[in-house]
Amino acid sequence: MGHFKSEFLNIMLERGFYNQCTNEEGFDQYLFECEQKGIPAVGYLGSDPTGDSLHVGHIVPLMMMRWFQKCGHKPLTLVGGATARIGDPSGKDKLRPFLSEETLAHNIEGLKKSFSKFLNFDDSSNGAVMVDNWDWFKNINYLSFLRDIGTYYSVNRMLTMESVKSRLEREQPMSFLEFNYMLLQGFDFCELYQKYGCRAQIAGSDQWGNITSGTELGRRKYDVELFGFTSPIITDSAGRKMGKSEGNAVWINEEKLQAYDYYQYFRNIGDAEVGKCLRIYTDLPTDEIGRLEALKDQEINEAKKILAFEATKICRGVDEAKAAEETAVKTFEQGGIGGELPALHKKDIVGLSVLDAFVEIGFCASKGEVRRLIKQNGIRINDRPVNDENYIFEQSDVINGQIKIAQGKKKIGLVKQDC
């Protein structure tokens, strides 16, 4: 018997997703009653279309929604076609750039693709539904909004919200436009309640102020209890937020990042993070995860391979996961060259400098970084260390029309001769 009555909250607690809930007992009872009656509870996850793909940093609430749907409940994925025009101040230092209509439309399509990798958008009773808040905000009259919504908000209370308070304490300018954001998100929550019977918002912990803005508006305006549920910010053992690899975002959509790089991100997770990541980024049962995280020394690498495969399988499908796994095995374990490695295509690779090659393939940010790594014996060509920072590729380096290059043990790529 779990800690909660509802299956969903027990899973959240067991797998490390539970951070905060506006009313734990009430939310548990609501979910339990829905589960008992076989009626889907309705919850939403919001994302502003400021980019055309989500990344690993967004996966935690997305996996929460995946479990929500697995428990028979209905996920709504809200894209902020309206709010992206303004900008959420949470965790930000400055105003977002404004996006064109074409960019927003393109980004919304990209987000739908990201969501679809984790959720089922079908016609079943708990099939996910994509919603855009531009649909209701585009025709709203400003005076009506102030009268109908603004009267329920206390500026004194808004000033105590972390997203606002931290900006003011750092004396960074915050426009009235951004200050409005929590009113808009609160209104979204109530619109979704009215249109879809949505009673829950699921998000990362940085959204707490925006969530409670919606739960309070629901209570005051509609006399209904809406629930907010957040996940913790997932960090590595050094306290860094997960989701970036060498400073670059680990994108969900394949146009932005190939499956091999996605796989390698999880394959290279630190030993201490393996259990946590298996619980959060995979669907594996917890008893199997318990067995894997108990592995020690070299055996922990087997657990990392399973983590990488399972995480990639959810996001890119089983075939891509297998291909990425095979590439990794060929490259790292058999000393060969796998088929999915990052590649730099050049008309003529003989005469290309090692400095240019490592910058152009994206392994290093600058030639200075390549020079520094050469001094540390961190750069290799065809498994041979490079000692000369002025090294130019020669014909003897080209094997089967390509040169294998490596930075350290984990970044391996190919420089390919285009015929």
Side-chain angles (χ1 to χ4, degrees):
M1 189 67 186
H3 181 82
F4 296 106
K5 291 191 285 188
S6 63
E7 184 189 10
F8 175 70
L9 281 185
N10 279 322
I11 290 171
M12 291 297 97
L13 187 63
E14 186 180 41
R15 298 186 80 98
F17 286 104
Y18 191 160
N19 180 59
Q20 243 179 321
C21 185
T22 50
N23 174 359
E24 182 185 281
E25 203 176 319
F27 189 36
D28 188 33
Q29 185 62 33
Y30 164 62
L31 292 169
F32 178 67
E33 286 174 8
C34 289
E35 286 168 11
Q36 291 295 101
K37 293 172 187 169
I39 301 166
V42 185
Y44 93 94
L45 168 63
S47 186
D48 280 345
T50 49
D52 57 2
S53 171
L54 297 176
H55 58 67
V56 165
H58 298 114
I59 289 182
V60 183
L62 198 43
M63 284 297 290
M64 290 162 79
M65 278 309 225
R66 183 178 172 87
W67 286 109
F68 189 70
Q69 189 171 44
K70 279 174 181 275
C71 291
H73 304 309
K74 188 176 188 70
L76 306 178
T77 57
L78 176 75
V79 289
T83 36
R85 289 165 164 82
I86 290 183
D88 178 2
S90 303
K92 306 290 189 302
D93 292 336
K94 56 184 185 290
L95 183 66
R96 268 183 192 158
F98 295 113
L99 303 175
S100 70
E101 296 292 325
E102 294 74 26
T103 302
L104 281 171
H106 168 76
N107 289 353
I108 286 169
E109 278 305 304
L111 291 192
K112 174 77 182 276
K113 186 170 186 176
S114 291
F115 285 129
S116 300
K117 292 173 182 298
F118 293 82
L119 304 171
N120 292 324
F121 286 82
D122 56 28
D123 296 331
S124 63
S125 62
N126 72 325
V129 175
M130 184 97 157
V131 189
D132 184 350
N133 65 9
W134 181 242
D135 292 345
W136 50 83
F137 276 120
K138 64 186 173 190
N139 297 320
I140 281 184
N141 174 286
Y142 183 58
L143 290 177
S144 303
F145 186 79
L146 284 180
R147 188 187 61 226
D148 297 342
I149 304 301
T151 50
Y152 292 100
Y153 282 86
S154 152
V155 170
N156 313 50
R157 171 107 171 83
M158 289 169 76
L159 288 169
T160 67
M161 294 294 185
E162 191 56 39
S163 57
V164 176
K165 195 169 69 171
S166 61
R167 282 279 279 278
L168 296 178
E169 282 171 357
R170 295 195 300 262
E171 295 185 359
Q172 283 162 333
M174 182 179 194
S175 69
F176 182 67
L177 190 68
E178 293 171 284
F179 191 57
N180 262 272
Y181 190 88
M182 65 178 77
L183 272 72
L184 303 183
Q185 194 163 324
F187 186 73
D188 280 344
F189 202 165
C190 290
E191 276 294 296
L192 293 174
Y193 164 66
Q194 296 238 278
K195 286 182 163 63
Y196 296 93
C198 177
R199 296 271 310 272
Q201 183 178 355
I202 290 171
S205 60
D206 61 330
Q207 291 298 310
W208 186 251
N210 291 327
I211 290 173
T212 53
S213 151
T215 57
E216 287 179 21
L217 182 62
R219 179 172 53 80
R220 290 176 179 158
K221 186 168 171 60
Y222 297 106
D223 195 28
V224 64
E225 183 170 22
L226 303 175
F227 303 103
F229 184 81
T230 64
S231 62
I233 300 297
I234 307 298
T235 56
D236 62 19
S237 51
R240 292 182 297 255
K241 265 172 84 167
M242 291 188 62
K244 300 269 171 64
S245 175
E246 306 286 335
N248 301 314
V250 181
W251 299 104
I252 288 174
N253 292 5
E254 50 270 23
E255 299 85 1
K256 307 270 284 188
L257 189 78
Q258 62 178 3
Y260 173 76
D261 290 326
Y262 191 86
Y263 176 96
Q264 280 299 115
Y265 171 74
F266 287 100
R267 174 66 184 82
N268 294 330
I269 291 288
D271 292 2
E273 280 78 65
V274 172
K276 174 165 59 179
C277 289
L278 281 164
R279 283 184 181 82
I280 284 173
Y281 297 106
T282 80
D283 294 331
L284 287 177
T286 48
D287 53 353
E288 170 70 357
I289 292 170
R291 184 187 71 76
L292 290 168
E293 69 180 333
L295 297 173
K296 292 281 182 282
D297 304 323
Q298 279 302 102
E299 287 188 327
I300 196 76
N301 283 324
E302 294 309 310
K304 290 183 188 179
K305 289 175 199 171
I306 291 168
L307 163 65
F309 180 81
E310 293 293 327
T312 308
K313 184 174 79 173
I314 290 173
C315 187
R316 300 298 179 83
V318 70
D319 291 344
E320 290 285 327
K322 279 181 181 166
E325 184 179 53
E326 283 165 16
T327 298
V329 168
K330 278 184 194 166
T331 304
F332 294 103
E333 294 175 27
Q334 297 170 2
I337 292 177
E340 291 222 352
L341 292 175
L344 173 64
H345 294 266
K346 302 293 281 185
K347 199 182 249 179
D348 199 356
I349 57 181
V350 174
L352 179 69
S353 79
V354 73
L355 298 180
D356 285 332
F358 278 81
V359 172
E360 286 182 37
I361 202 168
F363 286 178
C364 297
S366 66
K367 291 182 182 180
E369 188 184 342
V370 189
R371 289 190 185 98
R372 192 171 65 252
L373 287 165
I374 288 171
K375 284 181 183 141
Q376 298 164 358
N377 291 324
I379 296 290
R380 295 192 316 282
I381 295 170
N382 293 332
D383 300 320
R384 186 183 75 245
V386 177
N387 310 114
D388 178 8
E389 64 179 45
N390 299 314
Y391 190 81
I392 305 291
F393 291 142
E394 299 170 356
Q395 189 60 52
S396 59
D397 295 322
V398 184
I399 301 165
N400 297 328
Q402 60 191 23
I403 302 169
K404 181 180 177 183
I405 64 173
Q407 177 198 323
K409 290 181 180 175
K410 293 174 180 174
K411 279 192 176 179
I412 298 174
L414 302 171
V415 181
K416 293 192 170 189
Q417 178 85 51
D418 274 354
C419 299

